[in-house]
Amino acid sequence: MAYPKSIYASSLLLLLTFQVLSTISEAVVPASDTFTYINEGDFGDYVVEYDADYRTLHPFSNPFQLCFYNTTPNTFTLALRMGTVRSESLMRWVWEANRGNPVRENATLTFGTDGNLILADSDGRIAWQTNTANKGVVGFQLLPTGNMVLHDGKGNFIWQSFDSPTDTLLVGQSLRAGGVSKLVSRASAANNIDGPYSLIMEPKQLAMYYKSANSPRPMLYWTSVEWFNVDVATVTNGSLINLTLTSVPDTDEGFLYYLTFLYYITNPPSGWNRNMAYSRYNNTLSYLRLGIDGNLRFYTYNSNVQGVAWELVYTFLDRNSIEGECQLPERCGKLGLCENSECVACPTPNGLSGWSKDCEAKVTSCKASDFAYYKLEGVDHFMIKYTRGDGGRKQSDCESKCTKDCKCMGYFYHTQGSRCWIAYDLKTLTRVGNSTHLAYIKAPKK
């Protein structure tokens, strides 16, 4: 009796699926390669980032080492440290497993025969895990690139730390559409939770946002849109697929090394690169950091230099750059007028006064009868440079919108173009040469 070909095909597919599942189920981590590390014992003696207390764990691949660290008592983060004692330089944290979800003394990191890597608090609560139980993992490795991996019997990565960045990208690490597509800043040196800043790979651009409790949505303060719309390297008809930080020698002799963004786009599918920084030594040991202040910086590590192994090779919003530090939302604290990267004045209803960290706008009531607006000429908000605002608006309409919104702290209006921006946070205001750029800030009536 002849059977249809579809039955044979289905049977073959089922057999192959069964074989694959059987292979995965049989793959186990050898008992000799499993481990459990307990967060206990003396702290390290050397200087590390954020002035943290730390305990080193066994996994090490020069210059990377796995550690527990804390910046406030009994709130530990499992993290990867970059730098060596021999370099006599600050050691920095370049990857974290459990930001915002700390563990305590006697917490454990366990790698079991089932291939799952688990961080558990002292009471057994699971704070973080790789979710790789019974998925074919047979080994754990910390690679010289700083990538921590769980691999199968053929060396394929089942899980890798490069797929879960926090505020840092190491060389070889990527932002990806359909995966982790952003970096998020740290709140402060002492407080290891998500901060207000993010760098996001969007379909058409890289974008940097500031988010505060008062604002209904993050505010854009920088974008790379011009990078990806020049010559043939355009995303006009397509979108970004991924963006990878790479180290590229300029010559075969390697006298100059560039830190480069390698990016891929769709329609047409193609790959391009943009050089961001350079050094006169091999800069493979480098990283990009979204800082606590919302700035982006490239750091390189030269293990051959003692005492000063780290070099800051590029800062995005630098006083010597086109953008300048005035584009940083919190450059001038809660409120300040910025010019040439300096906070030069504190706007008040009575005019400009000397700036200090105490400068701020105070609105004590939501009732329109309880506040008024004072006017500044030749001033922009940090969000204006990369957003279009609402066009075709009368100034009175813009003011009415702000007045009716209790959280609105002021509004910005360009008389040329009749464009309106509502500001829920004022922060850093930039002095510009165009007197038709106006700011109206709420203040209590006397």
Side-chain angles (χ1 to χ4, degrees), residues 98-121:
N98 58 313
R99 175 195 276 182
N101 189 18
V103 293
R104 295 167 291 182
E105 295 279 353
N106 298 310
T108 58
L109 177 67
T110 302
F111 183 49
T113 56
D114 65 356
N116 204 15
L117 186 63
I118 300 175
L119 173 64
D121 208 348

Side-chain angles (χ1 to χ4, degrees), residues 50-105:
Y50 311 128
D51 196 26
D53 292 323
Y54 67 93
R55 295 184 176 110
T56 59
L57 304 179
H58 180 70
F60 172 80
S61 182
N62 189 18
F64 300 97
Q65 185 154 21
L66 198 59
C67 302
F68 283 110
Y69 86 87
N70 73 356
T71 50
T72 55
N74 210 21
T75 54
F76 289 89
T77 300
L78 176 68
L80 198 62
R81 189 188 69 183
M82 184 175 178
T84 61
V85 171
R86 187 181 64 178
S87 72
E88 299 179 359
S89 301
L90 179 74
M91 292 178 279
R92 301 174 183 269
W93 307 108
V94 294
W95 177 82
E96 297 177 341
N98 58 313
R99 175 195 276 182
N101 189 18
V103 293
R104 295 167 291 182
E105 295 279 353

Side-chain angles (χ1 to χ4, degrees), residues 3-45:
Y3 293 96
K5 291 183 179 180
S6 59
I7 294 179
Y8 286 112
S10 299
S11 300
L12 180 60
L13 180 60
L14 287 172
L15 179 61
L16 290 173
T17 302
F18 176 77
Q19 289 176 337
V20 170
L21 292 175
S22 297
T23 301
I24 291 176
S25 64
E26 292 172 1
V28 296
V29 179
S32 58
D33 293 336
T34 63
F35 56 75
T36 296
Y37 300 121
I38 303 175
N39 182 27
E40 62 181 1
D42 296 334
F43 291 125
D45 297 325

